[in-house]
Amino acid sequence: MAEAANLRGVKVMVIDDSNTIRRSAEIFLVQAGCQVLLAEDGFDALAKVADHQPAVIFCDIVMPRLDGYQTCALIKKNQRFRTTPVIMLSSKDGLFDRARGRMVGSDHYLTKPFTKDSLLQTVATFAPAAAE
């Protein structure tokens, strides 16, 4: 994959309550040379976003305590992170979910289970460092 060389050092956060999804995303991203931050839910993610300032954020929609829509909205309301790409992750591929994601400021939508190529292609598309 040609884009993989451009992903070296890109900081990517994966927010998902599923350990399996977090681990598979981490493996794919680390193999491509990305720095990976993992969060189990929205509260965990919000604490880490400010400290680590990821270039791209993948956010599951259905999570306990703070769902993906609320998490995305809170990230995008912060002046420092309003331009940070947030990609919603969902096992549902419905028009309503996509529209609701756009309403809270998400930049893209990736359906689970995702493939290594679709994940890396999304990072390559949205990571500012990938454009350099």
Side-chain angles (χ1 to χ4, degrees):
M1 172 169 214
E3 298 90 10
N6 297 338
L7 301 181
R8 190 153 310 286
V10 174
K11 203 178 286 188
V12 180
M13 174 175 270
V14 179
I15 310 164
D16 201 303
D17 59 327
S18 163
N19 189 45
T20 305
I21 295 292
R22 285 195 315 271
R23 289 290 302 140
S24 58
E26 180 181 31
I27 291 165
F28 295 156
L29 292 164
V30 167
Q31 287 173 348
C34 297
Q35 294 178 43
V36 182
L37 302 159
L38 301 175
E40 291 181 19
D41 62 34
F43 287 113
D44 187 23
L46 293 173
K48 292 177 179 175
V49 165
D51 290 342
H52 299 284
Q53 301 176 23
V56 178
I57 299 170
F58 287 91
C59 185
D60 183 24
I61 291 175
V62 181
M63 296 185 291
R65 302 198 306 160
L66 196 63
D67 73 21
Y69 298 122
Q70 295 165 315
T71 303
C72 179
L74 288 167
I75 291 168
K76 291 293 191 171
K77 279 182 186 167
N78 184 315
Q79 193 68 22
R80 278 173 56 200
F81 304 109
R82 75 178 200 289
T83 60
T84 302
V86 176
I87 292 91
M88 304 307 285
L89 292 173
S90 179
S91 51
K92 295 183 275 184
D93 193 18
L95 193 60
F96 175 78
D97 294 310
R98 288 174 184 266
R100 188 164 174 209
R102 291 276 184 208
M103 287 172 54
V104 296
S106 76
D107 297 273
H108 192 63
Y109 191 97
L110 194 61
T111 306
K112 298 190 288 189
F114 47 78
T115 63
K116 179 179 181 175
D117 284 347
S118 66
L119 184 72
L120 298 181
Q121 183 61 53
T122 303
V123 174
T125 300
F126 288 95
E132 294 173 1

